[in-house]
Coordinates of all heavy atoms in Angstrom, one line a residue:
R1 N 1.4 8.8 -0.9 CA 1.3 7.5 -0.6 C -0.2 7.1 -0.3 O -0.7 6.0 -0.9 CB 2.2 7.1 0.5 CG 3.6 6.8 0.3 CD 4.3 6.4 1.6 NE 5.8 6.5 1.5 CZ 6.7 6.4 2.4 NH1 6.2 6.1 3.6 NH2 8.0 6.5 2.1
A2 N -0.8 7.8 0.4 CA -2.2 7.5 0.8 C -3.1 7.6 -0.4 O -3.9 6.7 -0.6 CB -2.7 8.7 1.8
F3 N -2.9 8.5 -1.3 CA -3.7 8.7 -2.4 C -3.5 7.6 -3.5 O -4.4 7.1 -4.2 CB -3.6 10.1 -3.2 CG -4.1 11.3 -2.3 CD1 -3.4 12.3 -2.1 CD2 -5.4 11.1 -1.7 CE1 -3.8 13.4 -1.2 CE2 -5.9 12.1 -0.8 CZ -5.1 13.3 -0.7
E4 N -2.3 7.2 -3.6 CA -1.8 6.0 -4.5 C -2.6 4.6 -4.0 O -3.1 4.0 -4.8 CB -0.3 5.8 -4.4 CG 0.5 6.7 -5.3 CD 1.9 6.6 -5.0 OE1 2.3 5.5 -4.5 OE2 2.7 7.4 -5.5
V5 N -2.6 4.5 -2.7 CA -3.3 3.3 -2.1 C -4.8 3.4 -2.4 O -5.3 2.5 -2.8 CB -3.1 3.3 -0.6 CG1 -4.0 2.2 0.1 CG2 -1.7 2.9 -0.2
L6 N -5.3 4.6 -2.3 CA -6.8 4.7 -2.5 C -7.2 4.5 -4.0 O -8.1 3.8 -4.3 CB -7.3 6.1 -2.2 CG -7.4 6.4 -0.6 CD1 -7.6 7.9 -0.3 CD2 -8.5 5.6 0.0
E7 N -6.3 5.0 -4.8 CA -6.5 4.8 -6.4 C -6.4 3.3 -6.7 O -7.1 2.8 -7.4 CB -5.5 5.6 -7.1 CG -5.8 7.1 -7.2 CD -7.2 7.4 -7.7 OE1 -7.5 6.8 -8.8 OE2 -7.9 8.1 -7.1
I8 N -5.5 2.5 -6.1 CA -5.2 1.2 -6.5 C -6.4 0.4 -5.9 O -7.0 -0.6 -6.5 CB -4.0 0.7 -5.7 CG1 -2.8 1.3 -6.3 CG2 -3.8 -0.9 -6.0 CD1 -1.5 1.0 -5.7
F9 N -7.0 0.8 -4.7 CA -8.1 0.1 -4.1 C -9.3 0.2 -5.0 O -10.0 -0.8 -5.1 CB -8.4 0.7 -2.7 CG -9.6 0.2 -2.0 CD1 -9.6 -1.1 -1.4 CD2 -10.8 0.9 -2.1 CE1 -10.8 -1.5 -0.8 CE2 -11.9 0.5 -1.5 CZ -11.9 -0.7 -0.9
K10 N -9.4 1.4 -5.6 CA -10.6 1.5 -6.4 C -10.7 0.7 -7.7 O -11.7 0.2 -8.1 CB -10.8 3.0 -6.8 CG -11.1 4.0 -5.7 CD -11.0 5.4 -6.1 CE -11.3 6.3 -4.9 NZ -11.2 7.9 -5.4
R11 N -9.5 0.4 -8.2 CA -9.2 -0.4 -9.4 C -9.3 -1.9 -9.2 O -9.8 -2.8 -10.0 CB -8.0 -0.1 -10.1 CG -7.8 1.3 -10.6 CD -6.7 1.5 -11.6 NE -5.5 0.8 -11.2 CZ -4.6 1.5 -10.6 NH1 -4.6 2.8 -10.3 NH2 -3.4 0.8 -10.2
K12 N -8.8 -2.3 -7.9 CA -8.7 -3.8 -7.8 C -10.0 -4.5 -7.0 O -10.7 -3.7 -6.6 CB -7.5 -4.1 -6.9 CG -6.1 -3.5 -7.4 CD -5.7 -4.4 -8.4 CE -4.3 -4.0 -8.9 NZ -3.7 -4.8 -10.0
R13 N -10.1 -5.8 -7.3 CA -11.3 -6.4 -6.8 C -10.8 -7.5 -5.8 O -11.6 -7.9 -4.8 CB -12.1 -7.1 -7.9 CG -12.7 -5.9 -8.9 CD -13.6 -6.6 -9.9 NE -14.7 -7.2 -9.3 CZ -15.8 -6.6 -8.9 NH1 -16.0 -5.3 -9.1 NH2 -16.8 -7.3 -8.4
K14 N -9.8 -8.4 -6.1 CA -9.4 -9.4 -5.4 C -8.8 -9.1 -4.0 O -7.9 -8.0 -3.9 CB -8.4 -10.3 -6.0 CG -8.1 -11.6 -5.5 CD -7.1 -12.3 -6.5 CE -6.6 -13.6 -5.7 NZ -5.7 -14.4 -6.6
A15 N -8.9 -9.8 -2.9 CA -8.3 -9.6 -1.6 C -6.8 -9.6 -1.8 O -6.2 -10.5 -2.2 CB -8.7 -10.5 -0.5
Q16 N -6.0 -8.5 -1.3 CA -4.6 -8.5 -1.5 C -4.0 -7.3 -0.8 O -4.7 -6.4 -0.4 CB -4.2 -8.4 -3.0 CG -4.8 -7.0 -3.6 CD -4.8 -7.0 -5.1 OE1 -3.7 -6.6 -5.7 NE2 -5.9 -7.3 -5.8
I17 N -2.6 -7.4 -0.6 CA -1.9 -6.4 0.1 C -1.9 -5.1 -1.0 O -1.5 -5.2 -2.1 CB -0.7 -6.7 0.6 CG1 0.1 -5.7 1.5 CG2 0.4 -7.2 -0.6 CD1 1.2 -6.2 2.2
L18 N -2.0 -3.9 -0.5 CA -2.0 -2.7 -1.2 C -0.8 -1.8 -0.9 O -0.1 -1.1 -1.6 CB -3.2 -1.8 -1.1 CG -4.5 -2.5 -1.5 CD1 -5.7 -1.5 -1.4 CD2 -4.4 -3.1 -3.0
Y19 N -0.4 -1.9 0.4 CA 0.7 -1.1 0.9 C 1.4 -1.9 2.1 O 0.8 -2.4 3.0 CB 0.1 0.2 1.5 CG 1.2 1.1 2.3 CD1 2.1 1.7 1.6 CD2 1.2 1.0 3.8 CE1 3.0 2.6 2.3 CE2 2.1 1.8 4.4 CZ 3.0 2.6 3.6 OH 4.0 3.4 4.3
K20 N 2.8 -2.0 2.0 CA 3.5 -2.7 2.8 C 4.4 -1.7 3.7 O 5.0 -0.8 3.0 CB 4.5 -3.8 2.3 CG 5.2 -4.7 3.2 CD 5.9 -5.8 2.4 CE 6.7 -6.6 3.2 NZ 5.7 -7.5 4.2
E21 N 4.4 -1.9 5.0 CA 5.3 -1.0 5.8 C 6.8 -1.2 5.3 O 7.1 -2.2 4.7 CB 5.3 -1.5 7.3 CG 4.2 -0.7 8.0 CD 4.7 0.7 8.5 OE1 5.8 1.0 8.1 OE2 4.0 1.3 9.2
E22 N 7.6 -0.2 5.6 CA 8.9 -0.2 5.1 C 9.8 -1.3 5.7 O 9.3 -2.0 6.5 CB 9.7 1.2 5.7 CG 9.0 2.4 5.1 CD 9.5 3.6 5.8 OE1 9.5 3.5 7.1 OE2 9.9 4.6 5.2
N23 N 10.8 -1.7 5.0 CA 11.6 -2.8 5.5 C 12.2 -2.5 6.9 O 12.1 -1.4 7.3 CB 12.8 -3.1 4.4 CG 13.8 -2.0 4.3 OD1 14.2 -1.3 5.3 ND2 14.1 -1.6 3.1
L24 N 12.7 -3.5 7.5 CA 13.1 -3.4 8.9 C 14.1 -2.2 9.1 O 14.1 -1.5 10.1 CB 13.5 -4.7 9.5 CG 13.9 -4.7 11.0 CD1 12.6 -4.2 11.8 CD2 14.4 -6.0 11.5
L25 N 14.9 -2.1 8.2 CA 16.1 -1.0 8.3 C 15.5 0.3 8.3 O 15.8 1.2 9.2 CB 17.1 -1.2 7.3 CG 18.4 -0.2 7.3 CD1 19.0 -0.2 8.6 CD2 19.1 -0.3 6.1
D26 N 14.7 0.6 7.5 CA 14.0 1.9 7.4 C 13.2 2.1 8.7 O 13.0 3.1 9.2 CB 13.1 2.0 6.2 CG 13.9 2.5 5.0 OD1 14.4 3.6 5.0 OD2 13.9 1.8 3.9
Y27 N 12.3 1.1 9.1 CA 11.6 1.2 10.3 C 12.4 1.5 11.5 O 12.0 2.4 12.3 CB 10.9 -0.2 10.4 CG 10.1 -0.4 11.8 CD1 8.9 0.2 11.9 CD2 10.6 -0.9 12.9 CE1 8.3 0.2 13.2 CE2 10.0 -1.0 14.1 CZ 8.8 -0.5 14.3 OH 8.1 -0.5 15.4
V28 N 13.5 0.7 11.6 CA 14.3 0.9 12.8 C 15.0 2.4 12.8 O 15.0 3.0 13.9 CB 15.6 -0.1 12.9 CG1 16.6 0.2 13.9 CG2 15.1 -1.5 13.0

């Protein structure tokens, strides 16, 4: 997951979300 985020970050330029925390059920 960490390396995927880093790869996406390198490719993108516009301010945006790259990784979202799990939905509430998974979090709970």
Side-chain angles (χ1 to χ4, degrees):
R1 285 182 189 171
F3 293 133
E4 282 173 14
V5 169
L6 290 169
E7 286 303 311
I8 297 170
F9 173 76
K10 290 173 184 176
R11 296 198 310 267
K12 301 288 184 180
R13 298 183 61 81
K14 186 180 177 182
Q16 60 190 279
I17 188 167
L18 303 180
Y19 172 80
K20 189 175 176 65
E21 269 281 3
E22 298 167 309
N23 61 47
L24 187 59
L25 179 60
D26 274 299
Y27 170 80
V28 172

